[in-house]
């Protein structure tokens, strides 16, 4: 075999190996989001000594997959970067962040709950949300409406779905007048930051929107310190 032919074979192999590595690296976010279970100790990551002293009356509102999806009874079988497990207890990322906010700044906490349940599969949930987003569907909510008159600030916690806030969040926001409220958006994401969520919120709803905070799914467990700084700067 000639030297030139060998060189072409080696070059071809290098290209193939590089392509395989590129494919694997591009697929890691998908693998991580769908097949890796994140375990935590809630009592270690939520409570803390650092607090925010504010005279404002705060309501933390969050939407998360947990409580709004038909998950299997065996929570160990549920794998997604948007979920955390502590023993046999399942938590959503947004739920944990909301718990951190309440521990840091006090106030009340409210979970957005949908009448229908989303699929347990993260991918299927996103496809359903894509349909809702394209058709501008507002999912029906359950639970009592809240009286916002006693609150100055709303901390709004949600995951980034298709580059913006989920439609159940729109269902919640549509029910109230936020024109005299401060709104602090806290977003979890898989790598897209805020997407267009902040612009979309400001375009569709009244309110004094403050600086938002975007937290990568992988960093939720260690997000408390950053939330303290963010709240100190905005409350």
């Amino acid at each position: 075999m000639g030297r030139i032919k060998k060189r072409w074979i080696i070059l071809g192999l290098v290209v193939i190996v590089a392509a395989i590595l590129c494919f694997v690296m591009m697929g890691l976010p998908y693998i991580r989001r769908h097949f890796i279970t994140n375990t935590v100790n809630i009592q270690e990551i939520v409570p803390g000594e650092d607090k925010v002293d504010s005279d404002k009356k705060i309501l933390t509102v969050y939407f998360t997959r947990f409580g709004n999806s038909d998950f299997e009874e065996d929570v160990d079988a549920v794998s997604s970067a948007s979920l955390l497990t502590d023993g046999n207890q399942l938590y959503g990322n947004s739920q944990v962040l909301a718990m951190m906010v309440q521990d840091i700044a006090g106030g009340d906490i409210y979970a957005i709950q949908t009448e229908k349940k989303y699929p347990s599969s993260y991918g299927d949930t996103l496809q359903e949300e894509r349909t809702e987003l394209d058709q501008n569907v507002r999912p029906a909510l359950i639970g009592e409406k809240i009286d916002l008159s006693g609150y100055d600030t709303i901390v709004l916690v949600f995951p980034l779905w298709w580059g913006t806030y989920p439609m159940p969040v729109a269902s919640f926001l549509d029910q109230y007048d936020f024109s005299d409220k401060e709104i602090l958006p806290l977003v979890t994401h898989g790598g897209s930051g805020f997407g267009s969520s902040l612009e979309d919120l400001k375009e569709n709803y009244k309110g004094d929107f403050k600086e938002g905070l975007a937290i990568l799914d992988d960093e939720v467990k260690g997000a408390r310190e950053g939330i303290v700084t963010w709240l100190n700067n905005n409350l």
Side-chain angles (χ1 to χ4, degrees):
M1 184 181 296
R3 291 183 177 179
I4 295 178
K5 190 173 183 179
K6 287 182 179 179
R7 289 175 181 175
W8 278 108
I9 292 175
I10 293 173
L11 180 60
L13 290 174
V14 170
V15 171
I16 292 172
V17 171
I20 292 173
L21 289 175
C22 183
F23 177 80
V24 170
M25 293 301 294
M26 291 178 64
L28 282 177
Y30 177 88
I31 294 171
R32 179 182 60 80
R33 293 189 67 79
H34 290 261
F35 300 108
I36 296 177
T37 301
N38 292 307
T39 58
V40 297
N41 184 326
I42 291 297
Q43 292 305 312
E44 290 182 355
I45 67 172
V46 171
E49 295 182 0
D50 291 338
K51 308 290 183 180
V52 172
D53 185 15
S54 174
D55 58 359
K56 295 177 180 178
K57 296 178 180 178
I58 302 168
L59 172 67
T60 301
V61 177
Y62 73 91
F63 172 76
T64 190
R65 289 180 64 210
F66 178 63
N68 292 298
S69 298
D70 285 324
F71 290 123
E72 298 87 349
E73 291 185 3
D74 180 6
V75 298
D76 291 334
V78 178
S79 300
S80 172
S82 65
L83 301 171
L84 301 168
T85 59
D86 182 354
N88 292 323
Q89 180 62 52
L90 190 65
Y91 296 88
N93 279 347
S94 297
Q95 177 185 14
V96 171
L97 294 180
M99 292 165 65
M100 290 180 180
V101 170
Q102 187 183 39
D103 181 76
I104 294 166
D108 298 321
I109 193 167
Y110 181 87
I112 299 173
Q113 295 180 296
T114 54
E115 184 175 81
K116 71 171 185 179
K117 298 298 182 182
Y118 288 94
S120 60
S121 164
Y122 179 77
D124 291 344
T125 294
L126 283 188
Q127 288 305 313
E128 192 162 326
E129 170 66 7
R130 178 77 258 182
T131 300
E132 292 176 350
L133 187 61
D134 290 343
Q135 298 178 4
N136 199 29
V137 173
R138 300 295 201 269
L141 303 181
I142 57 176
E144 294 184 8
K145 289 189 65 176
I146 53 180
D147 181 3
L148 295 183
S149 61
Y151 299 102
D152 305 306
T153 302
I154 311 297
V155 181
L156 183 62
V157 192
F158 59 86
L160 191 75
W161 283 4
W162 295 107
T164 189
Y165 54 87
M167 295 309 287
V169 174
S171 297
F172 171 81
L173 295 175
D174 286 349
Q175 299 181 61
Y176 302 96
D177 178 10
F178 297 93
S179 57
D180 63 341
K181 308 298 179 187
E182 292 181 340
I183 302 177
L184 278 65
L186 177 54
V187 181
T188 65
H189 64 95
S192 301
F194 293 110
S196 65
S197 62
L198 300 188
E199 292 79 5
D200 295 340
L201 284 169
K202 293 176 183 178
E203 179 180 350
N204 294 316
Y205 300 100
K206 296 180 179 180
D208 181 13
F209 286 89
K210 299 298 184 180
E211 177 187 355
L213 178 64
I215 297 177
L216 190 67
D217 289 337
D218 285 345
E219 299 175 353
V220 167
K221 291 183 285 187
R224 193 181 192 282
E225 183 177 349
I227 294 175
V228 171
T229 300
W230 173 63
L231 291 175
N232 264 319
N233 290 336
N234 288 279
L235 288 178

